[in-house]
Amino acid sequence: MKKYIFTICLLSLLSFSCESFLDKTDPTATSFTEFYNDEEDLRRVTYSSYLDMFTHQSDRRLLFYLKDGRSDNAYSRIASDHHQVIANGNLNSNATVPEYYYSMHMKHLGRLNNFIDNINEPYVEDEAVRTRYHNILQGLRVWHYFRLTFRWGDVPFVLQPADLDEARQPATPKEEILDTIFPLGEEIANSLPEDEYTSNKYMFNKFSLKALIMRYALYNERYELAARLAKEIMDSENYSLHPVYRDLFQYEAASNNNEFIMHMDQESHSGSTTYSFRDLGPHFRTGDGQSYVVPLKSLVDSYWTLQGRPIDDCPYYSQTEYELDPNLNRDPRYEASIMGHGDEFYGETIDIYNPNSPMFYENQRASGSGYWFRKFVSDNDAFRSGNMEFGLLRYAEVLLTYAEAKIMMNEIDDLAKDCINQVRERAGLDMTEANVTLPEYASYTQDEWIALVRNERRVEFAGEGLRYDDIIRWRIAEEVLNQPALGHTKMENGNLVTLKIEDRTFKQHQYIWPFHESSLKVNPGLNQNPGY
């Protein structure tokens, strides 16, 4: 068998051996003939490919629910987690951030190319089993390229094992890569089973892979494709909105709902322990809360009223009243997603201004903004290790993707409006006024619809790691990340006083990430992105 050099091992410059990734049943095995003996071998390869990049439960740099710390939604207090570096404008070609993620993507692509190239040799006799894992691994490879092109634009594009010379190739234009992987991804998805697996349900099926392709079709302004895939998923009737929004992010429904399409469940990280309380929750008595990523005032103020209006355009209360009391006449998704000063946690009232409280805003492990995410933070985990499950992509995203894609094409049909209404109604808004088919919405311009659906995405998915990608693709990061990171607001001596955490900057060239200098040295075919 020809000895291939893993593309990624060469490009990543990582110190550990790629061979260890195989985690072989037979530790003396040196070839795929010896390694691919049964379905468990294929499952282990696939599991490891998910875990290292997409479903790791303890690497805070990768956890989806911490990625709002890169955006105007939240603040990340630990620079080594990378999110703070991205949000405050310190992303450059010398930062460890681009090296870490680019190397990891490329390392795994090299592995996947080798696994995929060898999977059809008949070591696992059941062809149907080999075919299923072959398609799942191909889907993972597509996922890597979606992320790579969204972050870096033009990147090397290889769909087969590569030797050293082949690995050092020039970057392929982003649009050329997308023109290949969008139809390839659909072809792979159509070859997968339609239903979720009884076990290992984190693995791709037909509709979960199509939902992922749908997401990146929207991200890359391929709106017709995004709308078509969203409609296909809706028409399948395989998924539905869970009736209680809050319960999706608590133990009540996290492992028992029909809304999660892509899963981060216990099987996806080979164990029961999860760390969402530690990462997001408050330091409480002797609890393990670390407040690593906390909501900002910008997010709090983005929750519209119960009637579906912005807080600065509501006849019932003034904007000042809303800012001083975020629970006042508010979209119920606020209370389900965020908690702060004056709210109840574990039977006690939060007081961020009490120096004797562990939740005092100046404490290291407290929230500098005075707010915490309630999503994924259960009182039950205050004094124990958690075992919560998470949805990496929910049916609500399918509905809002269809609506946004149709709005961007200026084809705002009845289904697009119904998709928005479904999400709003499930959230608990007052549909006597928030129903977007009411006469007051009939005169909406395209820009007004865009503002509505963008805010709907923001509050629906707050704390779920989508906001940074949204502000990048909407090209609004220059507006929202050139603002200071602010927190709780109170009235003091007749004046509004707001906690300030840090100043932030964002430059136009940072919409695309840089290649780290080490990557440029290893692969002379790469060109540095403009501005770096």
Side-chain angles (χ1 to χ4, degrees), residues 241-259:
L241 294 176
H242 188 72
V244 182
Y245 178 79
R246 176 192 178 278
D247 289 356
L248 287 169
F249 319 107
Q250 301 292 327
Y251 286 105
E252 284 81 351
S255 61
N256 182 28
N257 67 78
N258 200 38
E259 184 163 344

Side-chain angles (χ1 to χ4, degrees), residues 201-246:
K201 63 183 179 180
Y202 62 89
M203 294 189 184
F204 286 128
N205 61 29
K206 175 179 180 178
F207 293 112
S208 63
L209 182 52
K210 287 197 172 187
L212 182 70
I213 298 166
M214 171 206 75
R215 172 184 285 179
Y216 283 94
L218 186 71
Y219 283 12
N220 288 285
E221 299 182 355
R222 301 194 177 205
Y223 299 124
E224 185 175 350
L225 174 60
R228 175 171 62 79
L229 291 172
K231 180 69 161 53
E232 185 175 338
I233 296 166
M234 287 188 276
D235 289 344
S236 76
E237 299 183 350
N238 278 34
Y239 307 97
S240 59
L241 294 176
H242 188 72
V244 182
Y245 178 79
R246 176 192 178 278

Side-chain angles (χ1 to χ4, degrees), residues 359-398:
M359 290 183 275
F360 179 50
Y361 76 95
E362 291 185 355
N363 288 343
Q364 181 182 11
R365 289 171 59 187
S367 168
S369 73
Y371 294 103
W372 289 265
F373 282 107
R374 168 60 79 177
K375 275 185 177 179
F376 313 124
V377 174
S378 171
D379 290 9
N380 295 329
D381 292 340
F383 304 106
R384 68 170 194 181
S385 297
N387 60 354
M388 192 173 290
E389 298 184 4
F390 312 103
L392 297 178
L393 194 156
R394 302 192 278 112
Y395 184 64
E397 186 175 344
V398 174

Side-chain angles (χ1 to χ4, degrees), residues 36 51 61 81 99 161 164 202 213 243 253 265 302 334-335 356 372 388 393 395 404 431 468 482 499 520:
Y36 281 161
L51 174 69
R61 296 166 295 185
D81 288 355
E99 180 182 34
L164 179 58
Y202 62 89
I213 298 166
D265 59 354
S302 74
Y334 171 79
E335 186 177 1
N356 297 317
W372 289 265
M388 192 173 290
L393 194 156
Y395 184 64
E404 183 180 346
M431 297 305 287
Y468 177 71
N482 277 311
L499 298 178
L520 298 173

Side-chain angles (χ1 to χ4, degrees), residues 228-480:
R228 175 171 62 79
L229 291 172
K231 180 69 161 53
E232 185 175 338
I233 296 166
M234 287 188 276
D235 289 344
S236 76
E237 299 183 350
N238 278 34
Y239 307 97
S240 59
L241 294 176
H242 188 72
V244 182
Y245 178 79
R246 176 192 178 278
D247 289 356
L248 287 169
F249 319 107
Q250 301 292 327
Y251 286 105
E252 284 81 351
S255 61
N256 182 28
N257 67 78
N258 200 38
E259 184 163 344
F260 291 175
I261 299 177
M262 291 178 60
H263 298 261
M264 183 175 168
D265 59 354
Q266 293 178 41
E267 287 180 297
S268 74
H269 47 81
S270 190
S272 60
T273 300
T274 53
Y275 301 95
S276 56
F277 184 98
R278 177 204 69 183
D279 297 338
L280 299 171
H283 176 45
F284 178 75
R285 298 180 190 165
T286 59
D288 198 29
Q290 291 279 357
S291 309
Y292 286 125
V293 170
V294 296
L296 294 174
K297 173 179 168 60
S298 172
L299 173 60
V300 171
D301 291 347
S302 74
Y303 283 88
W304 289 2
T305 69
L306 185 65
Q307 297 77 29
R309 299 185 182 92
I311 62 171
D312 61 354
D313 184 28
C314 176
Y316 301 120
Y317 301 95
S318 69
Q319 182 175 353
T320 297
E321 289 176 296
Y322 282 123
E323 289 188 47
L324 290 172
D325 183 1
N327 290 295
L328 178 66
N329 188 43
R330 211 57 154 247
D331 183 326
R333 284 172 291 192
Y334 171 79
E335 186 177 1
S337 304
I338 297 175
M339 57 185 172
H341 182 72
D343 292 330
E344 294 292 316
F345 175 73
Y346 210 84
E348 294 183 15
T349 301
I350 298 173
D351 185 354
I352 66 168
Y353 298 108
N354 179 3
N356 297 317
S357 169
M359 290 183 275
F360 179 50
Y361 76 95
E362 291 185 355
N363 288 343
Q364 181 182 11
R365 289 171 59 187
S367 168
S369 73
Y371 294 103
W372 289 265
F373 282 107
R374 168 60 79 177
K375 275 185 177 179
F376 313 124
V377 174
S378 171
D379 290 9
N380 295 329
D381 292 340
F383 304 106
R384 68 170 194 181
S385 297
N387 60 354
M388 192 173 290
E389 298 184 4
F390 312 103
L392 297 178
L393 194 156
R394 302 192 278 112
Y395 184 64
E397 186 175 344
V398 174
L399 298 176
L400 292 180
T401 294
Y402 181 86
E404 183 180 346
K406 299 298 281 187
I407 288 168
M408 296 308 296
M409 292 188 289
N410 208 16
E411 299 174 3
I412 309 166
D413 57 18
D414 290 342
L415 180 56
K417 295 178 182 179
D418 181 63
C419 287
I420 295 171
N421 276 343
Q422 286 184 56
V423 172
R424 285 186 155 195
E425 185 170 16
R426 188 275 297 273
L429 270 67
D430 178 358
M431 297 305 287
T432 64
E433 297 189 50
N435 185 334
V436 298
T437 65
L438 291 171
E440 68 179 274
Y441 292 93
S443 61
Y444 262 38
T445 64
Q446 184 186 30
D447 286 345
E448 288 175 311
W449 281 113
I450 289 172
L452 186 150
V453 76
R454 286 182 177 182
N455 201 76
E456 203 66 38
R457 275 186 66 94
R458 185 177 190 181
V459 299
E460 175 69 24
F461 305 118
E464 297 179 57
L466 298 186
R467 177 64 177 176
Y468 177 71
D469 287 350
D470 281 347
I471 65 175
I472 293 297
R473 68 185 179 90
W474 292 332
R475 289 295 193 267
I476 63 170
E478 289 168 275
E479 173 189 345
V480 302

Side-chain angles (χ1 to χ4, degrees), residues 170-183:
T172 301
K174 172 183 176 179
E175 292 304 315
E176 183 178 329
I177 297 173
L178 294 178
D179 287 343
T180 299
I181 63 175
F182 275 122

